[in-house]
Each structure stands twice: as structure tokens, then as C-alpha cells.
Amino acid sequence: MVKRTDITKLRKGWFKKYWIYYAMFLPGGLFLLLFNYVPMGGLVLAFKDYWPKHGMFGSPWAEPFYKNFAVLFEDVYFWTVVKNTLIISVLRFATSFPFTIFVALLFNELRSKTFSKFVQTILFIPYFISWVIISGIVKKVFGADGMVDTMLNRIGISGISFMSDDVPFMILLIAVDIWKGVGYGMVLYIASMSAINYELYEAVEIDGGNRLTKMLHVTLPGLKLLISMQLVMSFSGILNGGFDQIYNMYSVPVRDVADILDTYLFRISFGEEQDHSLSTAVGLFKSVIGFVLILAANKVSNKLNEESVL
């Protein structure tokens, strides 16, 4: 039987040997503690009638305790916002996810190092530009009397308003999101491809396979676990419609289709209402749904791959 003193000595010896790793973890651990775990105490506001003068813990409890959720679920516009969030998230997932994998596969086939570096730079640049700048550029290019509108009018096509019509705006929203994120999104896939055993490619080549065969039967299967992990993470954020992009790009004419949970939450938190209890209820609703979805997606991944990614 192992004595408690022996375990203590073992722990002290382990800490003394690997103290540098604990020191490296400390800043990140403190960051997570302060900005991810401590704020969880604020979830209590979802069950209170918050008054700023009384503070978070001095404010009275809501009666009944689920009052904020009842107000939220009885609001017809709230469900419109949920529908918009799901539509935008699903469209993003159905387009950007496979497109990123496709671009990564094509990039992996480039043989010229100079050209591959050039392509990688071109794909990466949009990711480092803020949504404020990109939305300004998009409005100038696709807005009324913008470059695209002028060109369409010259060839006899009119009546398409990308910034105020529902369908054109949604197409533009998804296209800009793909353009901005594809470079960063393919980094993990490129890194994972570099770890694939090169002998597998040589075996396919000996069997007479071409580059397409190698891509489909070696590269793509080698990304199976990573793709599963990315799928699980994507499902967990399905209620995150992309606040930065939509808040900077949308306007009143397209609010009925572009207003999402994050913009709705922002308005009730910092707009005229400033109902922090209700906004906390919205955030808690998002978190619970995301947690359930990530567990469900992990379960499906476990069934398909016979390996859990969480």
C-alpha cells in the first residue's frame, strides 16, 4: 500500500523536475481563470431582477425564478433571431467547411515553393484585416452606386442591391466570410497533411495511381480525425452567427434576415433597454444549446470513427 507521505514526496519531486512547464502554464492558466471561469458567476443574473445600484448579488431574485426565460421564449422576435442565426450558421458551415478542405487539398498539390508561398500569402492577408475595414470596403464596392452596381448598370442589369435586398445580402455575407477565413482555416489541414507517411504516396504511385488518386485515397483519409474534430467544434458554435461581420455589414433593410442572437444580445445589453438579466438569459441559452450540440456531435463522431475527439 502506497503511503500518503510517499505520494507527497513524489508530487514534490515531479514539481521540482518540471517546474519550468508549470511556470509557462501559469500566465495562460490565470488568463483562463480570470476571463473564462470567474465570469461564470455572472450567470446568476439570468435568475434575478438586476438593479445596478444593488449590484449583482444584492439584486432580488426573479419571481418566479425562470421569469427572464419566460419573457425571452414568449417574444416572437427572439425566435426569428434564433432562426436567422441557425440559417446563417448552417449556410456558413455548408460552404466554408468543405471549401476550406478543398483549397487545402489543392494547396498541398503545389510543387513550386515560390508559387505556394505567394498563394499562401494572398490567402492569409484577408484574415489579418479587421471586419471594420472589410465591411467598409464591401459597402463601397457592393453598395448603391458602388463599383459593382455601376458595372451591372452598364451591361443592362439593374435592380440588384447587395446591401439592402435579403437574398443578395446573404450571398454576399457568406462569400465574404469564406474569402476572409479560408487562409487561416486551412492551416490545420496543411499541418496535418505534412504528418502523413510519404510511403503511402509511393505505394499508390507504384500501383499506377495519379495525383487525384493520391489525394482521394491517401490525403483525405489522413485528415479523417481532424475533420471530425473540426465538425464537433463547428457544431458547438452553431449559435454563433458571426457578430463582428454582421454588426459591421448589416443595416435596417436586411435586419429581418441578418439579425442574429449576438446582435440581439448586444442591443438589449447596451441599447435603450439595457436589460442585463435578459441578456444573461440569452447568453446562458446559447451556452446550454452549444454544450448539448457539442456532446451530440462528439457522440456521432465516436460512432463513425470509433474514437472520441473530446
Side-chain angles (χ1 to χ4, degrees):
M1 184 176 179
V2 181
K3 296 181 180 179
R4 186 179 295 272
T5 53
D6 294 335
I7 296 175
T8 303
K9 290 180 180 179
L10 184 64
R11 287 177 178 173
K12 287 182 179 179
W14 183 272
F15 180 80
K16 187 176 180 180
K17 184 177 181 181
Y18 297 105
W19 69 269
I20 187 65
Y21 298 108
Y22 288 102
M24 292 171 63
F25 168 76
L26 188 61
L30 288 175
F31 180 87
L32 288 174
L33 178 66
L34 292 176
F35 294 98
N36 290 78
Y37 288 94
V38 173
M40 286 183 182
L43 293 175
V44 72
L45 291 181
F47 306 97
K48 287 195 170 190
D49 287 325
Y50 177 70
W51 290 86
K53 65 178 181 179
H54 296 305
M56 182 170 63
F57 297 105
S59 298
W61 292 97
E63 295 182 5
F65 73 94
Y66 56 83
K67 185 183 87 171
N68 293 314
F69 293 95
V71 171
L72 196 66
F73 296 154
E74 290 172 1
D75 185 1
V76 177
Y77 188 71
F78 170 75
W79 295 110
T80 300
V81 169
V82 171
K83 181 190 72 173
N84 293 342
T85 306
L86 290 173
I87 290 173
I88 292 174
S89 296
V90 170
L91 287 175
R92 277 179 164 170
F93 174 77
T95 53
S96 63
F97 188 78
F99 185 75
T100 301
I101 298 173
F102 176 70
V103 172
L105 291 171
L106 293 182
F107 182 83
N108 189 56
E109 295 300 317
L110 295 178
R111 293 294 174 257
S112 172
K113 291 185 177 180
T114 304
F115 184 65
S116 63
K117 288 181 180 179
F118 172 76
V119 172
Q120 189 174 22
T121 302
I122 295 298
L123 292 175
F124 254 92
I125 287 176
Y127 177 77
F128 296 102
I129 304 175
S130 72
W131 276 115
V132 177
I133 297 174
I134 288 180
S135 64
I137 296 172
V138 170
K139 288 176 181 178
K140 288 292 184 181
V141 174
F142 292 93
D145 299 325
M147 183 178 68
V148 174
D149 187 59
T150 302
M151 292 175 61
L152 291 175
N153 288 330
R154 286 182 178 179
I155 61 176
I157 301 175
S158 59
I160 300 177
S161 180
F162 289 96
M163 302 306 298
S164 57
D165 289 346
D166 293 350
V167 175
F169 178 80
M170 293 292 287
I171 294 173
L172 181 63
L173 190 77
I174 301 302
V176 173
D177 178 70
I178 294 173
W179 169 73
K180 188 178 189 300
V182 67
Y184 180 78
M186 72 177 194
V187 171
L188 287 176
Y189 298 107
I190 296 296
S192 185
M193 288 175 194
S194 63
I196 297 175
N197 190 348
Y198 192 76
E199 292 179 358
L200 297 174
Y201 293 105
E202 293 178 342
V204 174
E205 191 172 346
I206 292 172
D207 290 338
N210 54 23
R211 295 174 70 174
L212 180 60
T213 307
K214 295 177 185 177
M215 183 190 298
L216 295 177
H217 296 282
V218 178
T219 308
L220 201 55
L223 300 175
K224 185 179 179 181
L225 184 60
L226 178 60
I227 292 173
S228 299
M229 183 182 70
Q230 293 293 91
L231 278 170
V232 171
M233 299 307 295
S234 297
F235 271 101
S236 68
I238 200 168
L239 290 182
N240 295 324
F243 173 79
D244 293 340
Q245 180 189 11
I246 293 176
Y247 182 75
N248 285 287
M249 284 184 62
Y250 85 148
S251 56
V252 175
V254 293
R255 180 170 288 181
D256 289 340
V257 296
D259 202 11
I260 60 172
L261 277 168
D262 289 332
T263 53
Y264 175 77
L265 189 152
F266 180 82
R267 285 201 308 277
I268 62 177
S269 296
F270 304 105
E272 294 181 0
E273 298 180 32
Q274 293 192 4
D275 192 335
H276 298 291
S277 295
L278 193 62
S279 63
T280 305
V282 176
L284 184 57
F285 170 80
K286 280 185 56 182
S287 300
V288 171
I289 298 298
F291 180 70
V292 172
L293 287 173
I294 195 172
L295 290 179
N298 184 60
K299 193 73 174 179
V300 173
S301 175
N302 193 16
K303 290 290 184 181
L304 295 176
N305 299 322
E306 298 182 353
E307 185 175 356
S308 176
V309 296
L310 293 179

